[in-house]
Amino acid sequence: MKQVISVRDLEDMLRSGKDVRALPTDALVTPSARDLLRELEGPGSYRTAAAETRPSAPAKPVTSKSSKAELEAFFNSPEIHALKLQICDIGRRLWQRAYVDGNGGNIAIRVGDDIALCTPTLVSKGFMKPEDMCLVDLAGHQLAGTKSRTSEILMHLQIMQRQPRAVATVHCHPPYSTAFAVAGVEPPTCMIPEFEVFSSVAIAPYRTPGTPEMGKLVADLVDKHNTILMANHGVVAWSHNHVEDAYFKMEILEAYCRTVVVASQLGKPVNTMTPAQLQDLLKIKQSLGIPDPRFGLKECELCDNDQWRPGVTCAVPNQGGEVGSARATSDPEAEALVQAITDQIMAKTK
Ligand SMILES: [Zn+2]
């Protein structure tokens, strides 16, 4: 059977330092992958320019211990240039969606065992150029690049150290999500499928941005969460796929927070999916390799929105002892149990 090559395949090859020109001659290349190949090979392209200074790919993987010349050659290679362009593209999308303000926000991509490519400090994410990017080791020491690396790089690197699957990280300040971070409220659950499948959100306490303490508090959460709200600051997300996927976490969270805020203003209690319906989504999530602290929980524990006042609809008694609407369950036994608990509470308050 002929091998089908997609853009994703080409990006994986570039990331792992393979030569995309060495594709099997009978491989079927998708139209968008063919466009990328053309971009990589075209006259006047960065590949042509880089090939003049670097005739062959490095034989051994580059690490923070490689020589200055090896690091420079790697940093200026077509493979890394392609990733620099991706970072510029994601930065533009963050800025266009008003997820960043001033010089805020930063992006990092792991490009080796102990090295990462990242955005510079004091540059708007909407207007970055490939030559603005920086190469750092996992302790944050700059290895290449003329601009200084972002002051918030430690947080990205601590995520990568604690979560070996993290290949890319994105940090920004989207207003609706940041509002939840400022209020210290975890977004409620069981309302929109995309959010349940692709996001696993937690809140890290406030510390001064850029400090190792801040990075540690975030890193403590990345085992089971891919999107961290940083109290009174913003959001950081990691992906095990690629940098665009880390950016998608921002779009999904921000759209969700905005929808939840608007829904809570409509004057009606919001509806939620049932725990059984959520369970189906969690199965999909697990199959996609996305972490979630709710894997393995009992169904009745799944939709506990005890932090979220306007839309509490879970059928389980929450920590405050209140009982939410029984709408979320159709199990007569569970309904009887909820009724019994409600009666008890009512009797106590009389
Ligand atoms: Zn920030």
Side-chain angles (χ1 to χ4, degrees):
M1 205 167 65
K2 287 182 181 172
Q3 195 184 350
V4 179
I5 305 290
S6 66
V7 169
R8 186 67 47 79
D9 297 324
L10 292 179
E11 286 172 351
D12 285 346
M13 289 175 75
L14 288 171
R15 197 174 299 121
S16 53
K18 290 183 189 145
D19 188 350
V20 294
R21 290 165 297 187
L23 295 174
T25 44
D26 64 341
L28 294 170
V29 180
T30 65
S32 47
R34 194 165 294 284
D35 286 347
L36 178 60
L37 280 174
R38 227 173 268 139
E39 199 186 321
L40 291 167
E41 302 289 350
S45 73
Y46 50 77
R47 172 178 279 280
T48 317
E52 285 162 15
T53 52
R54 197 182 63 85
S56 59
K60 59 179 168 56
V62 177
T63 73
S64 64
K65 304 281 179 299
S66 298
S67 70
K68 182 83 185 146
E70 282 172 325
L71 284 164
E72 282 296 329
F74 178 68
F75 184 65
N76 294 306
S77 67
E79 291 78 9
I80 294 300
H81 191 90
L83 296 177
K84 290 174 182 172
L85 288 174
Q86 278 183 30
I87 293 180
C88 294
D89 174 55
I90 296 300
R92 200 156 32 244
R93 289 156 78 176
L94 288 170
W95 184 83
Q96 279 167 343
R97 278 189 170 265
Y99 291 179
V100 288
D101 40 274
N103 298 321
N106 19 79
I107 303 164
I109 300 179
R110 196 197 288 260
V111 291
D113 279 351
D114 66 346
I115 47 177
L117 194 63
C118 72
T119 48
T121 188
L122 301 176
V123 175
S124 165
K125 299 301 139 336
F127 304 90
M128 294 184 296
K129 297 188 275 307
E131 55 268 32
D132 293 335
M133 299 308 150
C134 315
L135 187 71
V136 291
D137 66 18
L138 288 194
H141 301 119
Q142 189 148 348
L143 303 170
T146 50
K147 291 223 160 89
S148 296
R149 82 336 184 236
T150 165
S151 62
E152 288 184 287
I153 190 62
L154 289 182
M155 172 178 71
H156 298 258
L157 301 171
Q158 282 169 282
I159 292 174
M160 289 176 185
Q161 281 174 309
R162 289 284 277 281
Q163 177 48 272
R165 296 172 65 226
V167 296
T169 46
V170 172
H171 161 59
C172 59
H173 313 142
Y176 284 85
S177 316
T178 304
F180 277 84
V182 169
V185 174
E186 260 180 45
T189 57
C190 300
M191 293 188 192
I192 291 182
E194 277 72 16
F195 177 74
E196 299 300 341
V197 170
F198 296 108
S199 303
S200 299
V201 177
I203 302 189
Y206 180 83
R207 291 291 185 281
T208 305
T211 58
E213 293 77 27
M214 182 69 252
K216 183 187 178 301
L217 289 168
V218 168
D220 284 345
L221 296 165
V222 296
D223 178 28
K224 297 211 164 93
H225 302 89
N226 59 13
T227 310
I228 312 298
L229 287 172
M230 291 184 284
N232 300 82
H233 180 178
V235 192
V236 62
W238 64 268
S239 168
H240 64 293
N241 291 320
H242 45 79
V243 67
E244 188 182 38
D245 186 49
Y247 163 75
F248 283 160
K249 311 279 182 243
M250 298 302 173
E251 286 195 358
I252 292 165
L253 175 67
E254 182 65 355
Y256 184 72
C257 290
R258 191 173 177 184
T259 304
V260 164
V261 167
V262 173
S264 69
Q265 293 167 346
L266 295 177
K268 289 208 159 198
V270 296
N271 294 320
T272 51
M273 59 189 75
T274 66
Q277 287 169 331
L278 179 72
Q279 195 70 280
D280 282 346
L281 298 175
L282 289 179
K283 278 182 202 149
I284 299 172
K285 190 173 205 168
Q286 205 158 15
S287 74
L288 293 172
I290 299 172
D292 194 297
R294 296 171 297 180
F295 293 151
L297 286 186
K298 292 196 206 93
E299 273 191 6
C300 66
E301 298 168 313
L302 286 178
C303 289
D304 189 3
N305 283 325
D306 65 347
Q307 279 201 322
W308 175 249
R309 288 296 142 213
V312 176
T313 51
C314 189
V316 210
N318 63 26
Q319 287 167 1
E322 297 165 35
V323 177
S325 150
R327 187 170 2 128
T329 177
S330 57
D331 178 352
E333 232 175 81
E335 278 183 18
L337 180 65
V338 169
Q339 192 55 53
I341 296 170
T342 311
D343 292 347
Q344 268 180 29
I345 292 169
M346 293 309 286
K348 268 188 204 156
T349 53
K350 269 177 195 162

